[in-house]
Amino acid sequence: MEAFWFMLCSMIETLAIYSLIMSLFRFKTSEYIWQALFVMLFANLQSFILRNELSLAFVAPLITIVIFIFLFTTVIKVPVLWSATCTILGYVLYALIQTVYVMALFESVEEVQTPGIDAYVLQLISGATALLLSWLMYRFGIGFSFDFEKLRFKFEHIVMTVLIVTVLLLVSVVFYYNRIWINIIFFATTFGLFIYYMIRTEESVTNDD
Protein backbone atom coordinates (compact mmCIF):
# COMPACT_ATOMS: atom_id res chain seq x y z
CA MET A 1 0.00 0.00 0.00
CA GLU A 2 2.91 2.32 0.77
CA ALA A 3 4.22 1.87 -2.77
CA PHE A 4 0.80 2.80 -4.21
CA TRP A 5 0.54 6.05 -2.23
CA PHE A 6 4.14 6.93 -2.97
CA MET A 7 3.66 6.47 -6.73
CA LEU A 8 0.31 8.30 -6.75
CA CYS A 9 1.56 11.36 -4.85
CA SER A 10 4.84 11.37 -6.74
CA MET A 11 2.95 11.29 -10.05
CA ILE A 12 0.98 14.38 -9.00
CA GLU A 13 4.23 16.02 -7.93
CA THR A 14 6.10 15.31 -11.16
CA LEU A 15 3.04 16.29 -13.21
CA ALA A 16 3.08 19.64 -11.39
CA ILE A 17 6.79 20.12 -12.13
CA TYR A 18 6.26 19.22 -15.79
CA SER A 19 3.31 21.63 -16.00
CA LEU A 20 5.37 24.45 -14.46
CA ILE A 21 8.19 23.90 -16.93
CA MET A 22 5.80 23.85 -19.88
CA SER A 23 3.98 26.99 -18.72
CA LEU A 24 7.21 28.89 -18.11
CA PHE A 25 7.92 28.51 -21.81
CA ARG A 26 4.30 28.85 -22.94
CA PHE A 27 3.96 25.27 -24.11
CA LYS A 28 0.55 23.66 -23.75
CA THR A 29 0.84 21.06 -20.99
CA SER A 30 -1.46 18.55 -22.67
CA GLU A 31 0.45 18.58 -25.98
CA TYR A 32 3.01 15.97 -24.93
CA ILE A 33 1.15 14.58 -21.93
CA TRP A 34 1.27 10.86 -22.84
CA GLN A 35 5.00 10.86 -23.50
CA ALA A 36 5.48 12.90 -20.33
CA LEU A 37 3.40 10.50 -18.20
CA PHE A 38 5.56 7.58 -19.32
CA VAL A 39 8.75 9.49 -18.47
CA MET A 40 7.28 10.59 -15.11
CA LEU A 41 6.39 6.99 -14.26
CA PHE A 42 10.00 6.00 -14.90
CA ALA A 43 11.27 8.95 -12.83
CA ASN A 44 9.03 7.99 -9.91
CA LEU A 45 10.05 4.34 -10.05
CA GLN A 46 13.73 5.23 -9.81
CA SER A 47 12.90 7.63 -6.97
CA PHE A 48 11.05 4.91 -5.07
CA ILE A 49 13.94 2.47 -5.45
CA LEU A 50 16.57 5.03 -4.44
CA ARG A 51 14.57 6.21 -1.43
CA ASN A 52 13.19 2.93 -0.09
CA GLU A 53 15.57 0.23 -1.28
CA LEU A 54 18.97 1.96 -1.46
CA SER A 55 18.54 4.80 1.08
CA LEU A 56 19.81 7.32 -1.46
CA ALA A 57 16.94 9.81 -1.31
CA PHE A 58 19.25 12.79 -1.87
CA VAL A 59 20.27 11.44 -5.31
CA ALA A 60 16.69 11.02 -6.59
CA PRO A 61 16.03 14.72 -7.37
CA LEU A 62 19.18 14.95 -9.51
CA ILE A 63 18.19 11.90 -11.56
CA THR A 64 14.64 13.25 -11.92
CA ILE A 65 16.02 16.52 -13.30
CA VAL A 66 18.21 14.64 -15.78
CA ILE A 67 15.20 12.56 -16.89
CA PHE A 68 13.17 15.72 -17.50
CA ILE A 69 16.05 17.21 -19.51
CA PHE A 70 16.00 14.05 -21.61
CA LEU A 71 12.23 14.46 -22.13
CA PHE A 72 12.52 18.05 -23.31
CA THR A 73 15.50 17.31 -25.56
CA THR A 74 14.24 14.16 -27.28
CA VAL A 75 10.45 14.53 -27.27
CA ILE A 76 9.73 18.27 -27.24
CA LYS A 77 12.85 18.97 -29.33
CA VAL A 78 14.24 21.81 -27.22
CA PRO A 79 18.06 22.16 -27.52
CA VAL A 80 19.84 20.57 -24.58
CA LEU A 81 21.08 23.84 -23.04
CA TRP A 82 17.57 25.26 -22.98
CA SER A 83 16.09 21.92 -21.90
CA ALA A 84 18.34 22.06 -18.84
CA THR A 85 17.42 25.70 -18.22
CA CYS A 86 13.68 24.98 -18.55
CA THR A 87 13.89 22.00 -16.23
CA ILE A 88 15.95 23.71 -13.53
CA LEU A 89 13.66 26.76 -13.56
CA GLY A 90 10.53 24.64 -13.17
CA TYR A 91 12.09 22.35 -10.59
CA VAL A 92 13.45 25.09 -8.32
CA LEU A 93 10.14 26.98 -8.53
CA TYR A 94 8.34 23.84 -7.36
CA ALA A 95 10.96 23.29 -4.66
CA LEU A 96 10.42 26.85 -3.41
CA ILE A 97 6.66 26.27 -3.21
CA GLN A 98 7.18 23.04 -1.29
CA THR A 99 9.75 24.56 1.09
CA VAL A 100 7.35 27.39 1.94
CA TYR A 101 4.70 24.80 2.84
CA VAL A 102 7.21 22.92 5.00
CA MET A 103 7.97 26.14 6.90
CA ALA A 104 4.28 27.02 7.29
CA LEU A 105 2.76 23.63 8.15
CA PHE A 106 5.46 21.44 9.68
CA GLU A 107 7.89 21.87 12.54
CA SER A 108 10.90 20.49 10.66
CA VAL A 109 12.05 18.90 7.43
CA GLU A 110 12.45 15.59 9.23
CA GLU A 111 8.65 15.28 9.53
CA VAL A 112 8.29 14.93 5.77
CA GLN A 113 11.55 13.18 4.85
CA THR A 114 10.19 9.63 5.10
CA PRO A 115 7.08 8.29 3.32
CA GLY A 116 3.99 8.78 5.45
CA ILE A 117 0.85 10.89 5.81
CA ASP A 118 2.77 14.16 6.34
CA ALA A 119 4.95 13.60 3.29
CA TYR A 120 1.95 12.71 1.11
CA VAL A 121 -0.03 15.74 2.31
CA LEU A 122 2.94 17.95 1.49
CA GLN A 123 3.23 16.46 -2.00
CA LEU A 124 -0.50 16.86 -2.67
CA ILE A 125 -0.81 20.49 -1.56
CA SER A 126 2.46 21.45 -3.25
CA GLY A 127 1.39 19.70 -6.44
CA ALA A 128 -2.06 21.31 -6.40
CA THR A 129 -0.55 24.76 -5.85
CA ALA A 130 1.98 24.30 -8.66
CA LEU A 131 -0.71 23.02 -11.05
CA LEU A 132 -2.90 26.02 -10.28
CA LEU A 133 0.05 28.39 -10.71
CA SER A 134 1.02 26.81 -14.04
CA TRP A 135 -2.57 27.12 -15.28
CA LEU A 136 -2.66 30.80 -14.31
CA MET A 137 0.70 31.41 -15.99
CA TYR A 138 -0.45 29.81 -19.23
CA ARG A 139 -3.87 31.49 -19.04
CA PHE A 140 -2.37 34.97 -18.72
CA GLY A 141 0.64 34.41 -21.00
CA ILE A 142 3.29 34.67 -18.28
CA GLY A 143 6.52 33.08 -19.44
CA PHE A 144 9.06 33.06 -22.26
CA SER A 145 8.18 32.54 -25.91
CA PHE A 146 11.33 33.13 -27.96
CA ASP A 147 12.45 30.69 -30.65
CA PHE A 148 15.17 28.50 -29.13
CA GLU A 149 16.54 27.55 -32.54
CA LYS A 150 17.32 31.18 -33.43
CA LEU A 151 19.57 31.75 -30.45
CA ARG A 152 23.22 32.10 -31.34
CA PHE A 153 25.87 30.40 -29.24
CA LYS A 154 27.65 33.11 -27.29
CA PHE A 155 30.33 33.18 -24.62
CA GLU A 156 27.68 33.69 -21.94
CA HIS A 157 26.14 30.37 -22.97
CA ILE A 158 29.38 28.70 -21.89
CA VAL A 159 29.00 30.40 -18.53
CA MET A 160 25.39 29.20 -18.40
CA THR A 161 26.47 25.64 -19.18
CA VAL A 162 28.96 25.75 -16.29
CA LEU A 163 26.23 27.14 -14.03
CA ILE A 164 23.83 24.34 -15.03
CA VAL A 165 26.42 21.66 -14.28
CA THR A 166 27.21 23.33 -10.95
CA VAL A 167 23.53 23.50 -9.99
CA LEU A 168 23.02 19.85 -10.90
CA LEU A 169 25.94 18.85 -8.69
CA LEU A 170 24.72 21.02 -5.81
CA VAL A 171 21.15 19.66 -5.92
CA SER A 172 22.18 16.38 -4.33
CA VAL A 173 24.27 18.18 -1.71
CA VAL A 174 21.37 20.45 -0.77
CA PHE A 175 18.96 17.51 -0.47
CA TYR A 176 21.54 15.51 1.49
CA TYR A 177 21.66 18.14 4.25
CA ASN A 178 17.98 19.13 3.68
CA ARG A 179 17.83 22.20 5.93
CA ILE A 180 14.98 24.63 5.35
CA TRP A 181 17.07 27.81 5.17
CA ILE A 182 19.70 26.18 2.97
CA ASN A 183 16.90 25.07 0.65
CA ILE A 184 15.32 28.53 0.57
CA ILE A 185 18.61 30.29 -0.16
CA PHE A 186 19.73 27.78 -2.78
CA PHE A 187 16.45 27.52 -4.67
CA ALA A 188 15.66 31.24 -4.50
CA THR A 189 19.16 32.18 -5.69
CA THR A 190 19.10 29.61 -8.48
CA PHE A 191 15.64 30.68 -9.62
CA GLY A 192 16.68 34.34 -9.58
CA LEU A 193 19.83 33.71 -11.62
CA PHE A 194 18.03 31.66 -14.25
CA ILE A 195 15.10 34.07 -14.52
CA TYR A 196 17.53 36.98 -14.96
CA TYR A 197 19.36 35.08 -17.69
CA MET A 198 16.14 34.18 -19.50
CA ILE A 199 14.87 37.76 -19.36
CA ARG A 200 18.15 38.97 -20.83
CA THR A 201 17.98 36.30 -23.51
CA GLU A 202 14.42 37.20 -24.48
CA GLU A 203 15.33 40.90 -24.64
CA SER A 204 18.36 40.18 -26.86
CA VAL A 205 16.23 38.09 -29.24
CA THR A 206 13.59 40.85 -29.38
CA ASN A 207 16.23 43.49 -30.11
CA ASP A 208 17.78 41.33 -32.86
CA ASP A 209 14.39 41.02 -34.54
Side-chain angles (χ1 to χ4, degrees), residues 144-155:
F144 304 96
S145 59
F146 51 81
D147 187 345
F148 296 106
E149 298 295 344
K150 290 183 179 179
L151 296 173
R152 296 189 300 272
F153 190 82
K154 302 176 182 178
F155 174 75

Side-chain angles (χ1 to χ4, degrees), residues 3-40:
F4 169 78
W5 284 111
F6 179 93
M7 292 300 295
L8 176 63
C9 294
S10 294
M11 184 61 73
I12 294 171
E13 189 171 54
T14 47
L15 177 62
I17 294 170
Y18 164 75
S19 186
L20 277 176
I21 298 169
M22 295 289 279
S23 297
L24 274 167
F25 294 90
R26 300 189 191 175
F27 293 145
K28 192 173 183 180
T29 300
S30 59
E31 189 172 352
Y32 300 95
I33 190 63
W34 294 112
Q35 300 95 317
L37 286 173
F38 177 79
V39 171
M40 284 185 275

Side-chain angles (χ1 to χ4, degrees), residues 29-62:
T29 300
S30 59
E31 189 172 352
Y32 300 95
I33 190 63
W34 294 112
Q35 300 95 317
L37 286 173
F38 177 79
V39 171
M40 284 185 275
L41 178 61
F42 176 72
N44 294 330
L45 281 172
Q46 65 81 27
S47 180
F48 180 80
I49 293 171
L50 286 172
R51 292 172 189 273
N52 295 277
E53 303 298 328
L54 303 177
S55 300
L56 294 172
F58 63 94
V59 179
L62 174 60

Side-chain angles (χ1 to χ4, degrees), residues 76-97:
I76 307 177
K77 305 300 182 184
V78 177
V80 64
L81 176 64
W82 306 112
S83 294
T85 305
C86 296
T87 300
I88 290 173
L89 264 174
Y91 193 91
V92 297
L93 178 56
Y94 179 82
L96 276 173
I97 293 170

Side-chain angles (χ1 to χ4, degrees), residues 39-182:
V39 171
M40 284 185 275
L41 178 61
F42 176 72
N44 294 330
L45 281 172
Q46 65 81 27
S47 180
F48 180 80
I49 293 171
L50 286 172
R51 292 172 189 273
N52 295 277
E53 303 298 328
L54 303 177
S55 300
L56 294 172
F58 63 94
V59 179
L62 174 60
I63 297 178
T64 298
I65 291 173
V66 172
I67 290 172
F68 269 111
I69 292 172
F70 175 81
L71 169 67
F72 275 80
T73 302
T74 60
V75 176
I76 307 177
K77 305 300 182 184
V78 177
V80 64
L81 176 64
W82 306 112
S83 294
T85 305
C86 296
T87 300
I88 290 173
L89 264 174
Y91 193 91
V92 297
L93 178 56
Y94 179 82
L96 276 173
I97 293 170
Q98 192 166 76
T99 303
V100 169
Y101 276 124
V102 171
M103 293 177 64
L105 302 177
F106 302 96
E107 294 182 1
S108 66
V109 177
E110 285 72 19
E111 287 187 53
V112 292
Q113 275 188 318
T114 55
I117 186 64
D118 288 339
Y120 299 145
V121 168
L122 177 63
Q123 285 179 298
L124 290 174
I125 60 176
S126 301
T129 302
L131 285 169
L132 175 61
L133 178 60
S134 65
W135 180 83
L136 291 171
M137 289 169 60
Y138 187 79
R139 174 70 176 78
F140 293 102
I142 300 172
F144 304 96
S145 59
F146 51 81
D147 187 345
F148 296 106
E149 298 295 344
K150 290 183 179 179
L151 296 173
R152 296 189 300 272
F153 190 82
K154 302 176 182 178
F155 174 75
E156 65 183 61
H157 294 171
I158 300 176
V159 176
M160 193 62 181
T161 302
V162 173
L163 178 60
I164 287 170
V165 173
T166 303
V167 168
L168 290 176
L169 292 175
L170 287 175
V171 162
S172 292
V173 177
V174 169
F175 277 99
Y176 178 79
Y177 289 102
N178 216 359
R179 298 291 182 266
I180 289 179
W181 289 109
I182 293 177

